[in-house]
Amino acid sequence: MEKNMIGKYLRDLRRRRGMSQQELALALGVSKQTISNWEVGRKVPRMKAVEKIANIFGVSRNSILAGLPVEMLEQADRRVVDLTDRDIRLTYLGQQVPREYIDIIEKLMRWDIAERDAQ
């Protein structure tokens, strides 16, 4: 976990809620200086504080610990898929990619690899 990402995300959550550092500090039972230290990355919140922060802002603990909105976490968790894996449905903007498009991409990739190998 990167301290600064947590702090930036925490500051963003607080600002979007229209809360001051003092208001968040009161809600968490910590000092305003503690909030400041978290936000600039000098320190990170302990798990008990992370739990309270998650409840206050309605986000997951993992989101706070990663310093990322949950949507970005879900994207980061997606696995790498090889184009040749026939059991996987590839989509683009919610639409399934037609098999013939994947075949074209595979041909382009083979050509590119052959070109690089020839150099």
Side-chain angles (χ1 to χ4, degrees):
M1 96 182 90
E2 184 183 318
K3 292 181 202 179
N4 212 14
M5 285 184 68
I6 294 171
K8 287 178 182 178
Y9 184 53
L10 179 57
R11 183 180 59 231
D12 184 51
L13 288 170
R14 179 181 59 76
R15 286 180 175 171
R16 277 193 270 151
R17 180 66 62 89
M19 292 178 85
S20 68
Q21 287 183 340
Q22 183 64 42
E23 290 169 326
L24 181 57
L26 287 171
L28 295 172
V30 298
S31 70
K32 179 182 175 288
Q33 185 61 46
T34 297
I35 302 296
S36 176
N37 285 338
W38 293 343
E39 289 186 1
V40 298
R42 278 193 285 270
K43 295 184 179 185
V44 294
R46 293 188 176 164
M47 285 307 295
K48 191 173 182 179
V50 168
E51 186 74 40
K52 289 180 180 180
I53 293 166
N55 289 333
I56 289 170
F57 295 114
V59 298
S60 72
R61 289 177 304 183
N62 287 341
S63 180
I64 294 167
L65 293 172
L68 296 169
V70 71
E71 304 82 36
M72 292 181 76
L73 278 179
E74 288 170 356
Q75 288 176 357
D77 285 344
R78 292 184 182 167
R79 69 183 182 101
V80 173
V81 176
D82 195 277
L83 281 176
T84 60
D85 188 342
R86 301 294 184 203
D87 295 330
I88 302 297
R89 287 184 39 204
L90 298 176
T91 62
Y92 178 73
L93 299 175
Q95 301 295 315
Q96 186 168 347
V97 176
R99 182 74 237 161
E100 57 268 19
Y101 290 14
I102 296 171
D103 292 341
I104 292 168
I105 294 168
E106 287 176 340
K107 287 177 187 175
L108 288 170
M109 294 300 300
R110 283 193 298 272
W111 176 80
D112 185 58
I113 292 168
E115 285 286 311
R116 278 189 270 149
D117 288 346
Q119 293 177 352

